Amino acid sequence: MARKIKITEVGQHVKGKYEKLITAAVAETYKSLVQKSPVDTGRFKLSWAVGQNDASFPGEPEGQGSYAEPNSNQPRKIGYQKERAGNVYTVYNNLPYAEKLETASPGKGSSVQTNGPGWVRATAKRVQSLIPTLAARIEAES
């Protein structure tokens, strides 16, 4: 049965659904990038972060022999707690070699663990294609 929404509450209802969709897309992007990240010491994998209107987290400091495994189901949110409409969210990794891992061929700065260049862009495209599915899931919850 369809939910009744007063006309005065439509805007808030839509905003709430939109924010849930933003949260789901951010979480899926973060999870996928963390899980697909190549691992040597674990520093790169642990340095993924999500910024709200910002992408300034420098990444984990070097010098540790190994790094803890990040929880891919809990995005590392820098400077905010909850996704809100009207903001820009960026899933990023600011380590000096992050771009090379995305763009270089294996053996020339990338890793065979990433299946070659373009793995970050492929993740972005995959998550974009999931938006209708995520939206349908959110709609079914209410």
Side-chain angles (χ1 to χ4, degrees), residues 87-129:
N87 294 295
V88 174
Y89 295 91
T90 306
V91 181
Y92 63 96
N93 191 319
N94 280 340
L95 289 184
Y97 52 89
E99 187 173 345
K100 207 167 209 179
L101 282 170
E102 162 62 2
T103 60
S105 300
K108 295 185 179 175
S110 188
S111 169
V112 294
Q113 296 176 41
T114 65
N115 294 324
W119 63 281
V120 174
R121 285 174 297 205
T123 296
K125 285 181 182 180
R126 187 185 67 76
V127 173
Q128 284 177 334
S129 72

Side-chain angles (χ1 to χ4, degrees), residues 5-142:
I5 302 170
K6 293 180 183 180
I7 193 74
T8 57
E9 298 171 354
V10 169
Q12 192 60 33
H13 175 75
V14 170
K15 181 180 175 189
K17 296 286 185 177
Y18 180 63
E19 288 176 349
K20 285 182 179 181
L21 183 58
I22 294 168
T23 299
V26 165
E28 181 62 32
T29 304
Y30 179 86
K31 178 180 181 177
S32 183
L33 290 171
V34 167
Q35 289 177 343
K36 292 179 180 180
S37 290
V39 178
D40 180 14
T41 64
R43 180 178 176 220
F44 181 76
K45 192 173 204 172
L46 190 59
S47 292
W48 286 104
V50 182
Q52 176 181 276
N53 305 317
D54 181 49
S56 62
F57 175 66
E60 291 296 318
E62 44 180 331
Q64 292 180 264
S66 64
Y67 294 79
E69 178 74 18
N71 181 348
S72 62
N73 291 313
Q74 277 192 326
R76 174 187 257 171
K77 298 177 181 184
I78 305 298
Y80 79 101
Q81 296 298 314
K82 187 174 184 204
E83 287 80 7
R84 303 252 185 234
N87 294 295
V88 174
Y89 295 91
T90 306
V91 181
Y92 63 96
N93 191 319
N94 280 340
L95 289 184
Y97 52 89
E99 187 173 345
K100 207 167 209 179
L101 282 170
E102 162 62 2
T103 60
S105 300
K108 295 185 179 175
S110 188
S111 169
V112 294
Q113 296 176 41
T114 65
N115 294 324
W119 63 281
V120 174
R121 285 174 297 205
T123 296
K125 285 181 182 180
R126 187 185 67 76
V127 173
Q128 284 177 334
S129 72
L130 280 177
I131 296 296
T133 302
L134 295 171
R137 198 176 298 152
I138 290 164
E139 188 58 35
E141 291 173 357
S142 56

